[in-house]
Amino acid sequence: MNREKRAEIFRRLRDANPAPTTELTYSTPFELLVAVMLSAQATDRSVNAATARLFPVANTPEAILALGEEGVKQHIRTIGLYNSKAKNLIATCRQLVEQHGGEVPRTRQALEALPGVGRKTANVILNTAFGEPTLAVDTHIFRVANRTGLAPGRNVREVEDRLLRHVPREFLKDAHHWLILHGRYVCTARKPRCGACVIFDLCEFREKDKYAEA
């Protein structure tokens, strides 16, 4: 895919959604960190339901620590893997208090050193909380990048590196959200809604005509 086509893809995605953002509910960088940590193998809707119970009670590292692991579990038990997530959350809060003055760090190295925080979560925090031009490649972005021909890769890191290399600079800050939302609602896994796609003519998906007629 050439540079002009990539630029036009993001131009159209921007026109359709000028101010994209995460569907996770949060009001501080720490709340976003908690929400993203809880979102592994869970829907944003289920995470928002859990944090709606948790945040009014505890929405700072100190308050989470005071709640304790069992207390956290009581608020997040409706989402998958809640036992391990509660354990990681307590360990992360302890590290935030002891090493970062209770604040969410703004560097990748410090973020990835937190228990339960990997590269994808760090990228989300850097991009959404702090406005850094990073891309967190989840299953939606991986699918869209490969299916459309935008930035094909064999694994998430390969796709991330290619996107960072090929996405025009002016679109890089919001590219993460545009691609996730496109994959979640249009370029879906089993039955992509090609007939409703704003980048249909630019997409290099070989079977797009079949799905456009479905």
Side-chain angles (χ1 to χ4, degrees):
M1 183 175 288
N2 62 43
R3 182 182 302 176
E4 291 74 19
K5 188 182 284 189
R6 288 192 184 96
E8 181 60 21
I9 283 175
F10 284 104
R11 203 171 289 119
R12 292 187 192 180
L13 293 175
R14 180 179 62 188
D15 289 345
N17 186 2
T21 189
T22 180
E23 294 185 317
L24 292 170
T25 302
Y26 75 99
S27 58
T28 65
F30 177 71
E31 287 187 356
L32 179 62
L33 175 62
V34 172
V36 177
M37 289 179 68
L38 297 180
S39 70
Q41 298 182 41
T43 65
D44 286 358
R45 181 178 296 180
S46 68
V47 172
N48 289 339
T51 56
R53 294 187 296 271
L54 176 64
F55 289 160
V57 177
N59 70 340
T60 65
E62 295 84 357
I64 293 285
L65 287 173
L67 201 57
E69 190 173 326
E70 291 304 316
V72 169
K73 287 180 185 179
Q74 295 305 312
H75 292 85
I76 68 169
R77 63 188 314 117
T78 53
I79 61 176
L81 307 175
Y82 72 91
N83 283 314
S84 61
K85 289 176 181 179
K87 182 178 181 180
N88 280 333
L89 185 53
I90 290 294
T92 281
C93 288
R94 186 172 294 115
Q95 195 162 312
L96 289 176
V97 169
E98 293 176 353
Q99 299 181 20
H100 303 286
E103 299 294 324
V104 177
R106 301 182 66 134
T107 68
R108 177 186 302 284
Q109 183 178 8
L111 284 167
E112 290 187 20
L114 298 171
V117 175
R119 184 177 182 85
K120 184 172 73 173
T121 296
N123 277 337
V124 173
I125 302 305
L126 289 170
N127 178 265
T128 306
F130 300 130
E132 298 290 334
T134 59
L135 276 148
V137 179
D138 68 350
T139 55
H140 296 300
I141 293 183
F142 185 78
R143 178 175 64 255
V144 170
N146 276 286
R147 182 184 278 167
T148 62
L150 183 65
R154 293 164 294 180
N155 54 60
V156 294
R157 183 59 190 271
E158 203 168 279
V159 168
E160 178 187 336
D161 289 343
R162 288 185 177 176
L163 284 169
L164 289 172
R165 191 161 61 245
H166 293 306
V167 175
R169 188 75 184 179
E170 66 177 297
F171 302 113
L172 198 50
K173 180 178 176 294
D174 291 321
H176 166 78
H177 295 302
W178 282 319
L179 294 176
I180 282 182
L181 294 171
H182 190 68
R184 185 173 290 167
Y185 297 112
V186 180
C187 196
T188 51
R190 294 185 179 180
K191 292 183 179 180
R193 299 174 56 236
C194 296
C197 181
V198 298
I199 61 168
F200 177 81
D201 57 311
L202 303 170
C203 175
E204 298 180 356
F205 180 38
R206 292 180 180 179
E207 299 182 54
K208 65 181 183 180
D209 290 329
K210 179 180 74 174
Y211 287 103
E213 297 166 0

PDB file of all heavy atoms in Angstrom, residues 127 130-134 167-178:
ATOM      1  N   ASN A 127      -0.495   7.054  25.105  1.00  0.00           N
ATOM      2  CA  ASN A 127      -1.280   7.713  24.060  1.00  0.00           C
ATOM      3  C   ASN A 127      -2.488   8.438  24.629  1.00  0.00           C
ATOM      4  O   ASN A 127      -2.690   9.635  24.391  1.00  0.00           O
ATOM      5  CB  ASN A 127      -1.727   6.677  23.028  1.00  0.00           C
ATOM      6  CG  ASN A 127      -2.598   7.275  21.942  1.00  0.00           C
ATOM      7  OD1 ASN A 127      -3.822   7.245  22.032  1.00  0.00           O
ATOM      8  ND2 ASN A 127      -1.982   7.822  20.916  1.00  0.00           N
ATOM      9  N   PHE A 130      -1.492  10.667  28.111  1.00  0.00           N
ATOM     10  CA  PHE A 130      -0.429  11.662  28.005  1.00  0.00           C
ATOM     11  C   PHE A 130      -0.205  12.203  26.585  1.00  0.00           C
ATOM     12  O   PHE A 130       0.703  13.001  26.362  1.00  0.00           O
ATOM     13  CB  PHE A 130       0.874  11.075  28.548  1.00  0.00           C
ATOM     14  CG  PHE A 130       0.784  10.650  29.998  1.00  0.00           C
ATOM     15  CD1 PHE A 130       1.211   9.391  30.400  1.00  0.00           C
ATOM     16  CD2 PHE A 130       0.248  11.506  30.956  1.00  0.00           C
ATOM     17  CE1 PHE A 130       1.129   9.001  31.729  1.00  0.00           C
ATOM     18  CE2 PHE A 130       0.153  11.123  32.285  1.00  0.00           C
ATOM     19  CZ  PHE A 130       0.593   9.870  32.678  1.00  0.00           C
ATOM     20  N   GLY A 131      -1.036  11.753  25.625  1.00  0.00           N
ATOM     21  CA  GLY A 131      -0.983  12.327  24.285  1.00  0.00           C
ATOM     22  C   GLY A 131       0.224  11.960  23.455  1.00  0.00           C
ATOM     23  O   GLY A 131       0.546  12.642  22.476  1.00  0.00           O
ATOM     24  N   GLU A 132       0.907  10.867  23.801  1.00  0.00           N
ATOM     25  CA  GLU A 132       2.073  10.449  23.020  1.00  0.00           C
ATOM     26  C   GLU A 132       1.614   9.730  21.749  1.00  0.00           C
ATOM     27  O   GLU A 132       0.599   9.045  21.746  1.00  0.00           O
ATOM     28  CB  GLU A 132       2.956   9.507  23.853  1.00  0.00           C
ATOM     29  CG  GLU A 132       3.530  10.135  25.112  1.00  0.00           C
ATOM     30  CD  GLU A 132       4.575  11.184  24.802  1.00  0.00           C
ATOM     31  OE1 GLU A 132       5.211  11.105  23.738  1.00  0.00           O
ATOM     32  OE2 GLU A 132       4.760  12.087  25.634  1.00  0.00           O
ATOM     33  N   PRO A 133       2.351   9.855  20.652  1.00  0.00           N
ATOM     34  CA  PRO A 133       1.975   9.209  19.396  1.00  0.00           C
ATOM     35  C   PRO A 133       2.355   7.736  19.366  1.00  0.00           C
ATOM     36  O   PRO A 133       3.216   7.300  18.602  1.00  0.00           O
ATOM     37  CB  PRO A 133       2.759  10.011  18.353  1.00  0.00           C
ATOM     38  CG  PRO A 133       3.989  10.451  19.074  1.00  0.00           C
ATOM     39  CD  PRO A 133       3.551  10.713  20.493  1.00  0.00           C
ATOM     40  N   THR A 134       1.717   6.949  20.226  1.00  0.00           N
ATOM     41  CA  THR A 134       1.989   5.518  20.293  1.00  0.00           C
ATOM     42  C   THR A 134       0.787   4.737  19.771  1.00  0.00           C
ATOM     43  O   THR A 134      -0.321   5.275  19.667  1.00  0.00           O
ATOM     44  CB  THR A 134       2.282   5.075  21.738  1.00  0.00           C
ATOM     45  OG1 THR A 134       1.138   5.390  22.560  1.00  0.00           O
ATOM     46  CG2 THR A 134       3.508   5.760  22.281  1.00  0.00           C
ATOM     47  N   VAL A 167       2.187   5.326   9.197  1.00  0.00           N
ATOM     48  CA  VAL A 167       1.075   6.248   9.433  1.00  0.00           C
ATOM     49  C   VAL A 167       1.593   7.679   9.355  1.00  0.00           C
ATOM     50  O   VAL A 167       2.557   8.026  10.051  1.00  0.00           O
ATOM     51  CB  VAL A 167       0.419   6.011  10.811  1.00  0.00           C
ATOM     52  CG1 VAL A 167      -0.650   7.074  11.087  1.00  0.00           C
ATOM     53  CG2 VAL A 167      -0.212   4.621  10.872  1.00  0.00           C
ATOM     54  N   PRO A 168       0.994   8.526   8.532  1.00  0.00           N
ATOM     55  CA  PRO A 168       1.440   9.929   8.448  1.00  0.00           C
ATOM     56  C   PRO A 168       1.412  10.599   9.815  1.00  0.00           C
ATOM     57  O   PRO A 168       0.494  10.366  10.614  1.00  0.00           O
ATOM     58  CB  PRO A 168       0.416  10.553   7.495  1.00  0.00           C
ATOM     59  CG  PRO A 168      -0.049   9.417   6.647  1.00  0.00           C
ATOM     60  CD  PRO A 168      -0.081   8.226   7.571  1.00  0.00           C
ATOM     61  N   ARG A 169       2.388  11.412  10.089  1.00  0.00           N
ATOM     62  CA  ARG A 169       2.578  12.020  11.413  1.00  0.00           C
ATOM     63  C   ARG A 169       1.325  12.738  11.915  1.00  0.00           C
ATOM     64  O   ARG A 169       1.000  12.671  13.098  1.00  0.00           O
ATOM     65  CB  ARG A 169       3.751  13.001  11.353  1.00  0.00           C
ATOM     66  CG  ARG A 169       4.174  13.557  12.697  1.00  0.00           C
ATOM     67  CD  ARG A 169       4.936  12.527  13.493  1.00  0.00           C
ATOM     68  NE  ARG A 169       5.268  13.028  14.829  1.00  0.00           N
ATOM     69  CZ  ARG A 169       5.913  12.304  15.735  1.00  0.00           C
ATOM     70  NH1 ARG A 169       6.277  11.073  15.465  1.00  0.00           N
ATOM     71  NH2 ARG A 169       6.199  12.812  16.917  1.00  0.00           N
ATOM     72  N   GLU A 170       0.623  13.409  11.024  1.00  0.00           N
ATOM     73  CA  GLU A 170      -0.540  14.188  11.465  1.00  0.00           C
ATOM     74  C   GLU A 170      -1.673  13.316  12.013  1.00  0.00           C
ATOM     75  O   GLU A 170      -2.541  13.804  12.736  1.00  0.00           O
ATOM     76  CB  GLU A 170      -1.081  15.041  10.309  1.00  0.00           C
ATOM     77  CG  GLU A 170      -1.661  14.245   9.161  1.00  0.00           C
ATOM     78  CD  GLU A 170      -2.258  15.124   8.081  1.00  0.00           C
ATOM     79  OE1 GLU A 170      -3.238  15.843   8.370  1.00  0.00           O
ATOM     80  OE2 GLU A 170      -1.733  15.088   6.951  1.00  0.00           O
ATOM     81  N   PHE A 171      -1.653  12.030  11.682  1.00  0.00           N
ATOM     82  CA  PHE A 171      -2.718  11.128  12.125  1.00  0.00           C
ATOM     83  C   PHE A 171      -2.289  10.208  13.263  1.00  0.00           C
ATOM     84  O   PHE A 171      -3.107   9.465  13.807  1.00  0.00           O
ATOM     85  CB  PHE A 171      -3.198  10.258  10.954  1.00  0.00           C
ATOM     86  CG  PHE A 171      -3.700  11.036   9.773  1.00  0.00           C
ATOM     87  CD1 PHE A 171      -3.007  11.000   8.566  1.00  0.00           C
ATOM     88  CD2 PHE A 171      -4.849  11.801   9.847  1.00  0.00           C
ATOM     89  CE1 PHE A 171      -3.460  11.708   7.464  1.00  0.00           C
ATOM     90  CE2 PHE A 171      -5.311  12.521   8.756  1.00  0.00           C
ATOM     91  CZ  PHE A 171      -4.616  12.473   7.565  1.00  0.00           C
ATOM     92  N   LEU A 172      -1.017  10.252  13.610  1.00  0.00           N
ATOM     93  CA  LEU A 172      -0.466   9.233  14.501  1.00  0.00           C
ATOM     94  C   LEU A 172      -1.071   9.250  15.902  1.00  0.00           C
ATOM     95  O   LEU A 172      -1.312   8.199  16.494  1.00  0.00           O
ATOM     96  CB  LEU A 172       1.052   9.383  14.580  1.00  0.00           C
ATOM     97  CG  LEU A 172       1.851   8.185  15.100  1.00  0.00           C
ATOM     98  CD1 LEU A 172       1.463   6.901  14.386  1.00  0.00           C
ATOM     99  CD2 LEU A 172       3.345   8.443  14.936  1.00  0.00           C
ATOM    100  N   LYS A 173      -1.343  10.420  16.437  1.00  0.00           N
ATOM    101  CA  LYS A 173      -1.865  10.494  17.807  1.00  0.00           C
ATOM    102  C   LYS A 173      -3.219   9.796  17.952  1.00  0.00           C
ATOM    103  O   LYS A 173      -3.495   9.151  18.972  1.00  0.00           O
ATOM    104  CB  LYS A 173      -1.985  11.951  18.251  1.00  0.00           C
ATOM    105  CG  LYS A 173      -2.511  12.124  19.671  1.00  0.00           C
ATOM    106  CD  LYS A 173      -2.568  13.587  20.069  1.00  0.00           C
ATOM    107  CE  LYS A 173      -3.190  13.762  21.446  1.00  0.00           C
ATOM    108  NZ  LYS A 173      -4.610  13.367  21.465  1.00  0.00           N
ATOM    109  N   ASP A 174      -4.078   9.904  16.938  1.00  0.00           N
ATOM    110  CA  ASP A 174      -5.418   9.325  17.030  1.00  0.00           C
ATOM    111  C   ASP A 174      -5.582   8.016  16.274  1.00  0.00           C
ATOM    112  O   ASP A 174      -6.655   7.401  16.311  1.00  0.00           O
ATOM    113  CB  ASP A 174      -6.453  10.329  16.504  1.00  0.00           C
ATOM    114  CG  ASP A 174      -6.614  11.531  17.419  1.00  0.00           C
ATOM    115  OD1 ASP A 174      -6.585  11.347  18.654  1.00  0.00           O
ATOM    116  OD2 ASP A 174      -6.755  12.659  16.912  1.00  0.00           O
ATOM    117  N   ALA A 175      -4.543   7.571  15.578  1.00  0.00           N
ATOM    118  CA  ALA A 175      -4.641   6.363  14.753  1.00  0.00           C
ATOM    119  C   ALA A 175      -5.068   5.149  15.567  1.00  0.00           C
ATOM    120  O   ALA A 175      -5.862   4.316  15.108  1.00  0.00           O
ATOM    121  CB  ALA A 175      -3.303   6.090  14.065  1.00  0.00           C
ATOM    122  N   HIS A 176      -4.551   5.046  16.779  1.00  0.00           N
ATOM    123  CA  HIS A 176      -4.885   3.936  17.674  1.00  0.00           C
ATOM    124  C   HIS A 176      -6.401   3.794  17.834  1.00  0.00           C
ATOM    125  O   HIS A 176      -6.967   2.722  17.655  1.00  0.00           O
ATOM    126  CB  HIS A 176      -4.204   4.192  19.029  1.00  0.00           C
ATOM    127  CG  HIS A 176      -4.686   3.345  20.157  1.00  0.00           C
ATOM    128  ND1 HIS A 176      -4.294   2.039  20.324  1.00  0.00           N
ATOM    129  CD2 HIS A 176      -5.542   3.614  21.173  1.00  0.00           C
ATOM    130  CE1 HIS A 176      -4.878   1.544  21.399  1.00  0.00           C
ATOM    131  NE2 HIS A 176      -5.630   2.480  21.931  1.00  0.00           N
ATOM    132  N   HIS A 177      -7.069   4.887  18.152  1.00  0.00           N
ATOM    133  CA  HIS A 177      -8.510   4.842  18.390  1.00  0.00           C
ATOM    134  C   HIS A 177      -9.300   4.633  17.104  1.00  0.00           C
ATOM    135  O   HIS A 177     -10.279   3.889  17.084  1.00  0.00           O
ATOM    136  CB  HIS A 177      -8.972   6.118  19.094  1.00  0.00           C
ATOM    137  CG  HIS A 177      -8.410   6.266  20.475  1.00  0.00           C
ATOM    138  ND1 HIS A 177      -8.606   5.339  21.466  1.00  0.00           N
ATOM    139  CD2 HIS A 177      -7.622   7.232  21.015  1.00  0.00           C
ATOM    140  CE1 HIS A 177      -7.985   5.719  22.564  1.00  0.00           C
ATOM    141  NE2 HIS A 177      -7.377   6.866  22.313  1.00  0.00           N
ATOM    142  N   TRP A 178      -8.895   5.281  16.024  1.00  0.00           N
ATOM    143  CA  TRP A 178      -9.609   5.088  14.759  1.00  0.00           C
ATOM    144  C   TRP A 178      -9.586   3.625  14.338  1.00  0.00           C
ATOM    145  O   TRP A 178     -10.608   3.080  13.928  1.00  0.00           O
ATOM    146  CB  TRP A 178      -8.976   5.943  13.657  1.00  0.00           C
ATOM    147  CG  TRP A 178      -9.353   7.385  13.711  1.00  0.00           C
ATOM    148  CD1 TRP A 178     -10.585   7.911  13.986  1.00  0.00           C
ATOM    149  CD2 TRP A 178      -8.492   8.500  13.473  1.00  0.00           C
ATOM    150  NE1 TRP A 178     -10.535   9.283  13.945  1.00  0.00           N
ATOM    151  CE2 TRP A 178      -9.269   9.668  13.629  1.00  0.00           C
ATOM    152  CE3 TRP A 178      -7.146   8.613  13.137  1.00  0.00           C
ATOM    153  CZ2 TRP A 178      -8.723  10.939  13.458  1.00  0.00           C
ATOM    154  CZ3 TRP A 178      -6.601   9.882  12.977  1.00  0.00           C
ATOM    155  CH2 TRP A 178      -7.396  11.030  13.136  1.00  0.00           C
TER     156      TRP A 178
END
